[in-house]
Amino acid sequence: MQGPGPDDGAFDVSVVIPVHNCRAFLDRCLTSALVQRVKKEIVVVDDGSTDGSGELLDLYAAYHPGIVKVVHIEASGGAGRPRNVGIEHATGRYVFFCDADDHLGPEALERMVAVADRNDTDIVLGKVVGHGRRAPVSMFARSADRVELGDSGVYNSLSCFKLFRRDLLVWHGIRFGEGMLVGEDILFTVHAYCHARAMSVVADYDCYHLVSRPDGSSIMQQPDSRDPLAWLAMIKEPIRLMARHVEPGPLRDHLLRRHFRLDVFTQLGAPFLDSDDVRRKDIAREVAALCEEWYTPGVHERLNTIDRQRAGALDDLDRLVRLARIESATVRRRLTGLRWEGEHLVVTGAARLDGITRDDALAVVLRARHDPARELVVPAERNGGEFVARVEVGTLGSGIWDLRVAVEIEGVIRLGRLGADRDSGIARPRPRLFGGVVAMPYFTRDNGNLSIDMGGHVVSVPGTVRLIRMRWALGHRLLMDGEVTVAGTTPAASAVKQIVWRERRSGRERADRVTALPGGGFAARPAVGRLTPGTWDAYLELDLGGPPARFRIETDTVAGPRRWWGTSLLRTVRPYATSGKGRLSAVVRRLTAESLVKRMLG
């Protein structure tokens, strides 16, 4: 599906912007598109604006001929028609859809086009951030060059604020629903996903800024934009469209899970509580009809506990109301103690659901931050209103583990991050070594929640490396004997890896082997004479279960400088201890005989 190449005069991207009475936001939106460092055209479709938006757009087109293209149409009542008109006028290799009250990050299109071209993908999801509006999160945990629907969370995002290969849209007749108040982009994006060979994700840059209008005038901010019955009626067509393209089986179940979790069963939550009894019956009936047609055992096993409970209670309105109240109740939790006890981290606290007088079970759940499938559930002992959980930290793998408290009631599990609300005086316990892995409980900087860093991924590992002896040997090598401690104890010999010399100005590095000795000692014979000119700082590198951990080498003893002639060059190496902490560094110089004479005479 390759379009014209990037150097043949064609546009890389057509930015399609539907506009209806958005004059106050247009300058920011259009400026954000104009500054994109790609070959672009901006196709703006004025959907019958009456607030002067059309006149402002014509002014932009006059000032940016050949870049800003304005199409005026009669008001259509939704974003579907103007976006479709924009597709008809687009000529770029890719199309990006941007709403007039939102805006792009300065490097958004440059980054997304680069990843699409590099990986030959048809759709690129750029990270979306919300300003007064909720933005999707799950699919932006990490960047990905190439993902497919079945092995990723990209299908959770069905908005159209993405980069699409234009040939994909043209060849398959992919268009937005027209005459729809909401959901027109869901229909479009589902269709595009079904035909895309693969997708890319740009998660390390804020590509799209989703903005809430201060006056609440956008369609998605209207009170009736998520009417539960209207939404259930709307979502039937995207589900049927997807099912026409995807055979029954694991992939279809994976995609249906998204629709049931985010489109169907969510109508049995807050919207259900806000409805009267008659309307609740109507909502339950519509949900039951969708379940009868599409709810499979594969979907059931992919859902969380509360949605599974709902699927079995569609004929029991009272049960559905209780489930909705459990879901909406705040998880009240407080951390009251944190300490090491042998090999266990003992966590004490209190937890309950606000407004719910009883619960069935309570546990502490540790979940790997970058791999939610990795989870450790620790049942808690109850003592009146408090709980005690003993976490066997040594069983955790490398990574960041976030702690949550889990409250179970009527088969439904509610989770809440633990630690932000805690008793005064609770400090993080000292780091501990478990085998070759360093474990460091800590409180996150943003919200003060409790996590455990296994391996030193985000928390600095405490350690000390000190030289006992240093002297010169043959080959212009330094003989070094030292000792190392990590977290107040001796690391395993297998953890000690190498000495790294890093040149202070350029960042160049050279590594030398280290021999680990019993009791935390080590010996090394670094070839300092082979270092290039500059100032070199010495580190000892250890493997403590995460990224390489480096510790500056401290010394009380320093070998004297060494000079020698070689091939008409005077080489000098001067080891020294830095002022203050006495850290080992070395200054290396190389002078020719001619430059040495000039220096002496000058």
Side-chain angles (χ1 to χ4, degrees), residues 245-264:
H245 290 85
V246 180
E247 297 283 339
L251 176 57
R252 183 192 280 190
D253 289 338
H254 174 70
L255 305 183
L256 283 170
R257 169 189 175 271
R258 186 263 184 230
H259 289 296
F260 276 103
R261 186 170 64 91
L262 300 180
D263 296 317
V264 179

Side-chain angles (χ1 to χ4, degrees), residues 129-339:
V129 291
H131 303 274
R133 294 179 61 183
R134 290 185 61 185
V137 175
S138 62
M139 66 294 307
F140 297 121
R142 62 178 65 88
S143 294
D145 283 341
R146 195 173 177 89
V147 298
E148 298 182 0
L149 284 179
D151 60 6
S152 71
V154 296
Y155 195 77
N156 287 341
S157 173
L158 295 182
S159 72
C160 65
F161 309 128
K162 301 172 177 63
L163 190 76
F164 297 89
R165 192 178 296 275
R166 187 170 64 88
D167 283 348
L168 177 78
L169 310 182
V170 173
W171 289 2
H172 298 287
I174 299 170
R175 293 296 184 270
F176 291 86
E178 298 189 10
M180 302 170 65
L181 181 64
V182 292
E184 79 290 334
D185 55 343
I186 293 179
L187 194 67
F188 172 90
T189 309
V190 166
H191 198 180
Y193 275 146
C194 288
H195 288 290
R197 296 164 301 174
M199 287 71 66
S200 299
V201 178
V202 176
D204 57 355
Y205 183 77
D206 295 343
C207 293
Y208 192 83
H209 295 264
L210 192 66
V211 180
S212 172
R213 295 191 195 179
D215 61 1
S217 59
S218 72
I219 290 176
M220 291 307 297
Q221 290 176 262
Q222 300 303 309
D224 58 349
S225 65
R226 291 301 293 264
D227 174 79
L229 291 173
W231 194 268
L232 290 168
M234 177 277 298
I235 205 62
K236 293 177 182 177
E237 185 55 30
I239 292 176
R240 289 169 182 159
L241 187 151
M242 179 274 292
R244 288 198 296 269
H245 290 85
V246 180
E247 297 283 339
L251 176 57
R252 183 192 280 190
D253 289 338
H254 174 70
L255 305 183
L256 283 170
R257 169 189 175 271
R258 186 263 184 230
H259 289 296
F260 276 103
R261 186 170 64 91
L262 300 180
D263 296 317
V264 179
F265 288 136
T266 192
Q267 311 309 326
L268 295 173
F272 197 73
L273 288 179
D274 293 339
S275 302
D276 58 28
D277 287 343
V278 174
R279 193 166 176 79
R280 287 173 180 172
K281 290 179 181 179
D282 293 337
I283 295 171
R285 184 178 62 250
E286 291 299 318
V287 171
L290 285 164
C291 286
E292 184 175 353
E293 188 171 4
W294 302 112
Y295 194 82
T296 67
V299 172
H300 180 82
E301 68 183 20
R302 288 170 168 81
L303 291 173
N304 60 23
T305 57
I306 193 164
D307 286 338
R308 293 180 186 180
Q309 295 285 330
R310 284 167 170 154
L314 292 173
D315 57 350
D316 186 345
L317 292 184
D318 291 338
R319 171 81 169 138
L320 292 176
V321 169
R322 291 200 307 275
L323 290 172
R325 286 176 177 158
I326 292 171
E327 181 185 52
S328 64
T330 301
V331 181
R332 302 290 182 189
R333 65 273 189 196
R334 185 173 182 85
L335 182 67
T336 59
L338 190 64
R339 68 183 188 278

